[in-house]
Every structure is written in structure tokens, then in C-alpha cells.
Amino acid sequence: AGAPGFIKVQTPGQTAATDIALGDVDALVLSSDPPQTVNHGPTLLYADGTILHGPLESIINGRATVTTSFTKQPLMSQMDLPRQLLIKDPTSVDKAPEPPLETQDKIVIQETTLHGKLENAGDALPRWMPIGGIKSSRPTSTFASEITRSLPADAALHGDPALFYLSSGDVLPGTLKSLDRSGAEFESSLMAPRKLPSSELNAIQLGVSAQTNVSGFGDAGWRIVKGNDKSVRRANGNLEMDAGTLIAYPSLMQSSEISFKYSSSGFSATRLRLFCAGTDPAHSMNILLGNTGNQFISGQESMDGQFENQSQIRTRPGEAVSVRLLIEENEIQLLVNDVLSSRFPVDPAKCAGSGFMIEPASVWGNGIFPIALSNFSAISAPGHTWLPEVSSDIKTQVLTVPRFQKNDPPRHLLLASNGDVLRGEIEAATDTTFGFRSGLEELNVPRDRVRAVIWLKQIDKDSPTTPAAPSAPNPLDHRIDRQMMFMVSQPQPLISFLQAQDSNLKVKLPEVTHTRGAQVRFQFNSQTIGEALRQICSLFDLTYHQEADGTVVIETPVLTTTTLPHKTYWLKPDAIPKTPSVQEILTAKGITFPRDASVQWQPKAGLLTMTNTAENQDKLAALLNSDFGGSQGSPTHWLLLTSGARLALTVDKFEHDYIVGHNPVYGSCKVPMAQVAVIRTSAPEPTPTSISMENWQLVAAPEPVLPETGGESSPLLGKDASTFKLPLLDGGDFDLNAEKGHVVILDFWATWCGPCIKSLPGLIESMSSFPADQVKLIGVNQGEAPAQVKRFLETRGLKLSVALDADQSVGQKYGADAIPHTVIVGPDGKVAWTHTGYDPDSDTEASDVVKRLLQPPSPANAPAKETTQ
């Protein structure tokens, strides 16, 4: 019902009906009714609710070709897939042109997406005007919603001097004014100046610059990882790559869309590496693109050169193919010639960073051929920021606290633009420098060289020192070691294959048999069982969950309007005890947890989040006041800003130009609408940057086994020393394999290590008395930049040959879990002596060992031994 010329429509996402002009309606179809007529030409309607409307070009061999307003190329559909085909010639009803979707805001509620415009009228809730509507309405508050604002393509994204990452998941924008052990003072245009305590800070990101759009292969962010300007040719917007080359952009996966044209003719293949750690290709999510001349093949890579799944389209020889990647939080969509080709779920285990790489590849065992790409562009995603990547080896090293530091562990980490790190403690901060104490050194570090200050999570002294008993392996983590391809229309054969791979895998299938009608191709090829299960469920529109006893339950997803309400409360950090679990505590107090209900407690942030029935939500609200110290309110919305900031607020007003709200930690806020990219009613997923800021937990170096206590001596003693070759600080290489016949002293050290600084002068002096052609002292530096090492030696006037163990792989071979760590290799190439830590007498003992090794072999010589300090 509605006014003349209008109909009233109410969707699950609205609390009130909306008037929509009939001129904007192409068809009104009810699944239980006979086919309806339409006003604007052919419309295909599918059983899953999909509607495809546009001029019908042809129906040939059972395939319909339809021209649409939202794709550059016509779409094709098998005629046995639509439920109805409604055809009527256009009438005289004039229809206003549809606004381009990219210029419209978007709201998502319960997997339903509507385009339109966000409208604010001074209420505590936003208002929504759908396309074709004449009156806005409020989105429902019962179910979680997300509004993504359409920002002008040429809009300059707002940036801030710093972003403050809180343990609650919020990211505050502002300017750092001062910093000490107690916390950080900051100023922000959104809120009153205040001090954030260290207990609530994860990190501060400095020199923040939002990711900008990238156009062409000439952008300064591209790096040639393999090859050179002759084998990787970039000119006039084109890219030509020979076999064996690799080009990378370290931060490109912060984009929302990446597109290019694949111009190669004849047979060739390209590998796209997504979510790499900077320019390191070791861990990534890979997509393969193949061109056979008249077919273009695309899909995710399962193992080297093999497709995990693939799709094909016919092409004309020599014609460039358009490739687009649409990047979302949990999914990558691949479009080929503007037609959706594949959807790839984003597996966090394969996401090491924000890097993007291109390389010629081999598929199905064929050779690697040159490739040619052109028309490259990447559209930045508002709110994404970039942070230098730190290698896992270096991160492990800086998080390990040596025994001599366990009573005064480092508190802060400085991260430089090139990925270098410096641990210690910030003692003062000015507008230009950080006063930083690292070991025994007092440093003044220029602020413009620092990209992040990270709070190191201290060692929990109350945690048990004995390791927990290992849990039984999860069958979902079992990697499939067979390669098999199936052509199936039902999932049961694929599930049976999975169960044959691990006898511990228990699966409960749905009662209703699922089929896709036509057979589909599925390949098992070195995935884990869990990865294969996700792919199978996606293929047959199923879901699964693993129960407490390990049983995997596969189900048909049910879309219903009875989704459990989701609420979040601010509490005091110590409101809920650490043990037992929060769900057990609430269950004991009468709150039940039906299926799909859950609860989460973040003690540091003071956030309690529960998804449960309305009745249980009311019980929880009463319990908070009676048993848990009362609630400090509830966030109603999470605002994601274009600068990368994220704020949880109780919104008081959605005004035309501002959103006004408050938070118990940082008080009242007034956020300009021009800076708002997304408005959510539930907490967003963490970004790659925020994840990289969180996981910096210090661990204690293992205590050594002392020989005098009956423990075993070093397993290296008396064995052949592991050979290695490392670059020397002053040029050239040090090759241990070439030093047979000499005594070699390897001293593993770093400039930040206080005991190393104490021990080096004595060791250098004691070794200088030996002939240089018989004895060599090599300082093996652990993971530091050459300039930093050179500056350290020059400042102290130390003369030492230094080998650069950048990834600390040599240190790992020689058991350098703590430094300084000294190893003496005899003329026979065997380890003769090891020593860990600083001891004023260790240089004398090392000298005695060298003297013994220089003597002619004699049965009277003392056996090899180890000392540990």
C-alpha cells in the first residue's frame, strides 16, 4: 500500500517502511505466485534471490546473454538456472537514470546489502535513504549493521601525526606530546587532551600516511626483487617480465581494488602473491593466471604450478584480458573481463603482511614464459595504514630477554622505516627526539626516523614455568599428502576422501543431500584438511563447526530473522575473575548459552561482549549491577576513520557534519563526518597493522644447563663446526670452510647487548697476542644494520673483523640463544670450547684454550669442555 505512484516496502534491516516510486521498480515477484509482468524488459530471477535485469541479447545453446548497467561486458547465464524469465517491452513509464553504485553509500544487515545515502538528523541513530526512496528510515538496532560511505574518488584522505593503538582495539588519532614509563600524553582534534596509561597502550604509530592510489608500474613503490631493469622492463605504463624475475609492492594489499590488463599472447602464466611480508615471498596467498591463446584460466594455487580451483573463459588471440581483484576483509573476488570469476576466502595463516608480488610462473609442469601486463591501478582503501615489516627471526631475538636483564627487562621497542628495531626504554620525548636507554647506552633517537613505538608485554611472573602438556593434534591441521582430482555433484565423496586421510576425523553430515546439478571439478593438492573443508563447504553452500569432542558438523546455513542480539558493555578491568572462564561464571549465575550464543571478556580493555537471547541479555544487565561492579555504559557504534583511527562510542547525536559521542576512557568526542569511512554497530575485525602491534610478548631466555650440576655439556663440543659464509662489514666474505688449519674464535654479539659491550674489549686484547695467520677472531653480529655496527665500533675505537649474520641463522646453528656467546673452532674444524654470558675471566680462559690448540697434538692435551655463566 502507498500513495499514488508509490509502494511501501519494509526490509529486515528497517524498523519503518519506506516509500519507493513505482517508476524505480522493474518487477515485483513472489515465489509462491505465478510469473508477474515487468515494465522494463527481460528479468531473470533465481531461486537464491538473485535478480539479473537488462536487455536480452540472445539465447543460444541454452545460454542467455544479458547486457547490464553495472558490467562492461554482457553477462551469460545457463537457462536451466533461473527460476523465472519475465519479458515485456518497455512501456511509456519514464524511469530516472540509476545513480552509479560507486557514488552511493552501502549498508549491510544480515548479509543483505542495500545502496543509498546516509542521512543524519540529530538523532542517536543514523537514518538511511535507499535508492528510489522518498523518506529515510532508521536501520534496525536488533541486528549488527555496517554502513560504508562513498567517498569522492579525488578526495584527499585525512591523516594524523600519530595513531595510538589501545588494548581495547580502539585506535585514537592525535599528536604525541610526551611519553614516559607511566604512559603517553596526546592531543587530538576529536577530544580533550589527556594521558593514556601504559596499561592501555599497545603502540604508537608515527609519521602516519594513508595509502595512496597507485597508477602504473612506474610508481616509486615498486621493487624489483629478482632481475634487473633489462629483464624487468617498465615503459609507457607497460610491464614486460622475463622468466625468473619478480617485482613487488610492499604495501599494496592495503588497497580495496587492484586491476590491470594481461596482454601476453600465446601460452604464458603469471603468479600473483598476496599478503606477503614486504618483499619477502616466503609466505603468501597465491593466485595463478594462465593464457593459452584462446582461453584465460584463473584460480588459487594449491602447490607449485597447480590450481586448487580454476575457472576458464574464452578469449580472442592477442586480445588483452582485464583482471580485477576486489579486496575485502575476509574475501578476495577475482573478476576477469568484468565478470566474477572466483571468490577466495582470506586465510590469516597465509597473510604475513601487506605485500603484493608479480612473477612469471609455470603451470601444470610447463615451462616459464615471459609475460606482459599494462594499465595497472590500485585504489586505496580508506583507513588502511602501512607499517614496516619485521622478520620473524629478528622479532624472536628482540623478544627474548637474556638472563642478566630479567630483573630490568626492556619496556619499549622503536621501529624504523626500514624495519630495523631497537629495544630498551624511552626516558623522555621531545618534538624532535626520543631519549632512549638501550642496555648501558643512553641514546638520542630522532623522531623522524621512528615509525612506531611498541610497548613490550612483560613476562608474567605468575605463569607456570613448566610447559603445558601437549594437546592432541587436531585432524583439521593434518596436511593431505596425496594429489587427487574429483568430478562430483555432491560433497559426500570429497568428505569420504578427507576421512580416509586421518582416522581421527569425525564428521556429521546434514540429513538433506546437497547437489549442484552439474558436476564440478575439485582437486586435493597438499592443503590441510581444514583448508579443503572450507573449500568444499564454499562450493556446496554449506557451513561447518567443530564441537568440543572434535566432531566436525557440516550444516546447511539457515537465513532467519531470529539472529541472537549482540551487546557490548564497558566494565572495570578487574570486574570478572581470571578463572574459571567467563562463560562458566555466567552459567553458574543462571545465564544459559544456546547454540550460536557466545561471550567474550577483554580484561585489559574492560569490554564484555555477549551474543545471546534478549532474555539472557536482560539477565546480564542485572548481574552487572549486582555482582560485577556495574556497567559504565555500552558502545553503540564503532567509527572507522579515513586516517586509520577506530573509535568505540556511545553516540549521542548523528548531526549533519559531525558525530557526537562519549567513551569512558577518552571522554567526549566530536568526529567530523568528512573523516568517517565506516559506521558499525559491532566491533570490527583487527587490521593487519593493529595485529602487528599486539603480539610483542617478552619471553625469558632458557636457563643454561651447568656441567657442575650434573647436566650435559654442549652438544657442539667435539663435533664438526657447521660451515657458513657471511658478508664482512668491511667488504668481502668470511667463509669458515676456508679456515681449516687455523684457530677461529666466533663471538656472537649485538650493539644493544650490555654484556657484549663489557666482554668485547678484553676478548679483542687477549686474542691480539696470537699470530694473525694462525688465529682469527670474528665478531658475528646478530641482525643489525651495517651502519649501526660500524658507528658502534668507531665510537669505541674497537678493531674487530665483523661478519653480518642478518637473519641470525648462523647464530641459531651455534646455539646463540643468549649473547655474548663465544665458540672456538680448532684447526681440525671441530668445536673445542663454548662460553655464554659475561665473565671477567672468560677472555683469559679463551686465551688458554687457544694456546692449547696451537700446540702440536698430544695425548696429554686436555679434553674439550664448556663453561656457562
Side-chain angles (χ1 to χ4, degrees):
F6 294 90
I7 59 173
K8 281 188 178 296
V9 177
Q10 183 168 348
T11 74
Q14 296 175 286
T15 56
T18 297
D19 287 334
I20 296 181
L22 278 172
D24 291 320
V25 179
D26 293 325
L28 174 63
V29 180
L30 304 177
S31 60
S32 59
D33 289 352
Q36 307 292 307
T37 59
V38 292
N39 289 333
H40 294 285
T43 300
L44 298 175
L45 299 107
Y46 296 80
D48 64 359
T50 301
I51 299 174
L52 185 60
H53 169 74
L56 188 65
E57 290 193 350
S58 64
I59 300 178
I60 301 175
N61 295 329
R63 294 177 68 89
T65 304
V66 180
T67 301
T68 74
S69 61
F70 53 87
T71 60
K72 295 179 181 178
Q73 301 291 332
L75 296 183
M76 289 185 291
S77 174
Q78 290 289 132
M79 284 305 297
D80 58 352
L81 296 180
R83 185 187 63 204
Q84 296 181 31
L85 169 60
L86 310 182
I87 302 178
K88 186 175 180 180
D89 292 333
T91 68
S92 58
V93 178
D94 292 330
K95 180 183 177 183
E98 294 181 1
L101 293 186
E102 60 267 21
T103 66
Q104 300 295 301
D105 298 336
K106 180 177 70 174
I107 186 170
V108 179
I109 303 177
Q110 279 194 294
E111 301 184 3
T112 298
T113 300
L114 298 174
H115 285 82
K117 282 296 180 183
L118 173 68
E119 294 185 350
N120 297 330
D123 302 329
L125 293 172
R127 301 186 71 87
W128 183 257
M129 175 68 80
I131 293 177
I134 61 171
K135 184 179 180 181
S136 61
S137 60
R138 294 190 184 95
T140 179
S141 58
T142 304
F143 310 117
S145 66
E146 177 182 272
I147 297 174
T148 302
R149 299 185 65 232
S150 173
L151 303 173
D154 57 351
L157 299 182
H158 177 79
D160 287 284
L163 293 175
F164 298 78
Y165 290 76
L166 306 187
S167 56
S168 64
D170 286 3
V171 183
L172 305 185
T175 302
L176 175 64
K177 304 304 293 183
S178 68
L179 191 154
D180 56 27
R181 180 174 287 196
S182 63
E185 292 185 0
F186 81 107
E187 291 182 353
S188 174
S189 60
L190 308 185
M191 60 198 71
R194 61 184 59 249
K195 185 167 186 175
L196 297 171
S198 292
S199 59
E200 295 179 3
L201 273 166
N202 281 339
I204 302 174
Q205 187 177 1
L206 301 169
V208 180
S209 59
Q211 174 75 20
T212 57
N213 294 343
V214 177
S215 179
F217 293 103
D219 187 277
W222 288 106
R223 304 282 187 271
I224 297 177
V225 180
K226 296 180 182 178
N228 51 43
D229 290 334
K230 292 183 179 180
S231 55
V232 180
R233 299 172 291 281
R234 294 176 286 171
N236 302 321
N238 299 323
L239 171 68
E240 295 179 352
M241 301 179 67
D242 293 341
T245 59
L246 177 64
I247 190 171
Y249 202 113
S251 58
L252 202 71
M253 289 307 295
Q254 295 177 89
S255 306
S256 60
E257 178 179 332
I258 296 173
S259 63
F260 57 88
K261 285 188 179 294
Y262 196 117
S263 307
S264 299
S265 60
F267 187 91
S268 65
T270 299
R271 178 182 291 109
L272 305 180
R273 295 184 181 270
L274 315 182
F275 301 109
C276 307
T279 58
D280 182 0
H283 300 284
S284 60
M285 172 181 171
N286 298 342
I287 293 176
L288 290 174
L289 307 175
N291 189 2
T292 66
N294 57 6
Q295 272 193 333
F296 190 83
I297 305 165
S298 59
Q300 192 167 358
E301 185 177 25
S302 58
M303 61 181 298
D304 191 24
Q306 301 295 326
F307 287 94
E308 184 175 286
N309 42 57
Q310 67 182 62
S311 61
Q312 302 176 4
I313 67 166
R314 289 195 172 277
T315 57
R316 296 176 182 175
E319 185 178 83
V321 177
S322 171
V323 177
R324 292 172 63 202
L325 296 174
L326 304 183
I327 304 165
E328 300 179 358
E329 278 189 357
N330 302 310
E331 183 182 72
I332 302 290
Q333 296 182 20
L334 174 65
L335 284 77
V336 178
N337 283 345
D338 293 310
V339 176
L340 181 62
S341 171
S342 304
R343 297 173 182 266
F344 308 119
V346 175
D347 183 358
K350 295 182 179 179
C351 299
S354 300
F356 174 84
M357 298 185 177
I358 304 172
E359 63 179 334
S362 166
V363 293
W364 304 315
N366 293 291
I368 302 177
F369 299 93
I371 61 172
L373 310 179
S374 61
N375 294 69
F376 185 92
S377 67
I379 301 174
S380 63
H384 287 197
T385 59
W386 174 78
L387 199 67
E389 299 288 343
V390 179
S391 73
S392 58
D393 289 339
I394 292 179
K395 187 171 181 179
T396 299
Q397 181 186 8
V398 299
L399 290 178
T400 302
V401 179
R403 297 184 302 281
F404 69 87
Q405 275 190 308
K406 64 181 180 181
N407 294 324
D408 185 21
R411 297 182 178 274
H412 301 120
L413 186 88
L414 301 185
L415 175 59
S417 301
N418 62 355
D420 284 351
V421 294
L422 182 66
R423 71 177 187 180
E425 182 172 356
I426 296 176
E427 297 184 326
T430 69
D431 291 340
T432 58
T433 60
F434 287 115
F436 196 78
R437 177 171 62 85
S438 177
L440 301 179
E441 290 192 283
E442 301 288 341
L443 307 172
N444 287 319
V445 181
R447 275 181 59 165
D448 59 4
R449 296 185 183 179
V450 179
R451 285 295 165 263
V453 178
I454 298 174
W455 268 255
L456 299 173
K457 296 180 181 179
Q458 300 301 297
I459 301 170
D460 188 357
K461 296 180 180 179
D462 297 329
S463 62
T465 55
T466 56
S471 57
N474 189 336
L476 297 184
D477 297 329
H478 178 93
R479 187 162 294 279
I480 301 167
D481 57 4
R482 296 181 60 191
Q483 298 184 27
M484 289 286 291
M485 186 178 72
F486 287 79
M487 294 296 295
V488 294
S489 59
Q490 297 180 355
Q492 283 82 351
L494 305 179
I495 301 301
S496 298
F497 178 84
L498 290 179
Q499 291 180 290
Q501 305 309 301
D502 193 320
S503 59
N504 295 319
L505 179 64
K506 297 179 290 184
V507 179
K508 181 180 179 181
L509 290 168
E511 295 179 0
V512 179
T513 301
H514 285 73
T515 179
R516 289 184 60 90
Q519 286 193 328
V520 294
R521 177 181 182 271
F522 189 90
Q523 184 172 1
F524 292 101
N525 206 345
S526 81
Q527 315 103 308
T528 64
I529 289 178
E531 290 171 344
L533 192 57
R534 284 195 295 273
Q535 295 157 16
I536 294 168
C537 288
S538 175
L539 189 64
F540 290 93
D541 297 324
L542 299 168
T543 62
Y544 80 90
H545 70 274
Q546 192 170 22
E547 296 188 336
D549 65 354
T551 300
V552 174
V553 180
I554 300 176
E555 304 166 298
T556 303
V558 178
L559 295 179
T560 174
T561 58
T562 59
T563 302
L564 299 176
H566 178 91
K567 291 190 177 181
T568 301
Y569 304 88
W570 281 308
L571 307 179
K572 295 178 181 178
D574 58 351
I576 298 178
K578 291 183 178 180
T579 57
S581 71
V582 63
Q583 182 166 326
E584 292 173 320
I585 292 173
L586 296 181
T587 300
K589 294 182 179 294
I591 294 180
T592 59
F593 286 84
R595 183 174 173 182
D596 296 332
S598 62
V599 66
Q600 182 182 22
W601 168 238
Q602 297 174 257
K604 287 188 176 180
L607 280 179
L608 178 68
T609 303
M610 188 169 81
T611 301
N612 213 320
T613 63
E615 180 184 2
N616 280 324
Q617 296 285 5
D618 292 340
K619 287 183 181 179
L620 177 63
L623 279 174
L624 294 181
N625 290 323
S626 62
D627 294 38
F628 300 110
S631 168
Q632 301 180 56
S634 295
T636 60
H637 294 86
W638 280 256
L639 307 183
L640 281 58
L641 308 189
T642 59
S643 64
R646 295 179 164 210
L647 292 80
L649 293 177
T650 300
V651 174
D652 302 315
K653 289 182 180 180
F654 281 91
E655 297 180 349
H656 183 267
D657 294 323
Y658 292 91
I659 298 177
V660 181
H662 60 275
N663 179 290
V665 175
Y666 41 87
S668 299
C669 298
K670 188 174 182 180
V671 183
M673 282 298 302
Q675 298 182 25
V676 178
V678 178
I679 302 171
R680 295 176 56 105
T681 58
S682 62
E685 294 294 323
T687 66
T689 300
S690 63
I691 292 174
S692 67
M693 298 286 200
E694 291 177 358
N695 303 318
W696 293 85
Q697 174 67 58
L698 293 175
V699 295
E703 293 294 330
V705 179
L706 301 177
E708 56 268 25
T709 63
E712 294 182 359
S713 61
S714 169
L716 299 176
L717 292 173
K719 295 184 178 180
D720 291 335
S722 297
T723 58
F724 63 88
K725 187 176 182 180
L726 290 176
L728 289 167
L729 180 64
D730 295 328
D733 295 318
F734 175 78
D735 186 353
L736 183 63
N737 199 40
E739 299 298 329
K740 286 286 183 71
H742 300 155
V743 175
V744 179
I745 301 93
L746 303 175
D747 189 60
F748 296 87
W749 69 289
T751 63
W752 51 262
C753 167
C756 299
I757 297 172
K758 287 183 178 180
S759 67
L760 265 179
L763 184 62
I764 294 172
E765 182 178 358
S766 66
M767 294 300 122
S768 64
S769 60
F770 295 108
D773 60 346
Q774 298 182 46
V775 178
K776 287 190 177 181
L777 170 61
I778 303 295
V780 186
N781 180 266
Q782 297 295 281
E784 295 185 290
Q788 181 178 345
V789 177
K790 185 171 291 188
R791 185 167 56 250
F792 172 87
L793 296 176
E794 290 174 349
T795 301
R796 286 163 178 74
L798 298 176
K799 295 183 178 181
L800 175 68
S801 293
V802 175
L804 301 171
D805 187 12
D807 60 1
Q808 303 169 69
S809 59
V810 176
Q812 291 177 8
K813 290 180 180 179
Y814 281 85
D817 296 324
I819 53 176
H821 179 68
T822 307
V823 177
I824 298 180
V825 180
D828 57 357
K830 298 183 182 297
V831 175
W833 185 81
T834 66
H835 180 87
T836 302
Y838 170 67
D839 179 355
D841 298 327
S842 62
D843 52 343
T844 302
E845 188 171 354
S847 179
D848 291 342
V849 172
V850 173
K851 290 177 182 177
R852 174 173 54 82
L853 292 172
L854 291 176
Q855 295 174 359
S858 169
N861 284 344
K865 66 174 182 174
E866 172 194 39
T867 64
T868 310
Q869 191 68 22

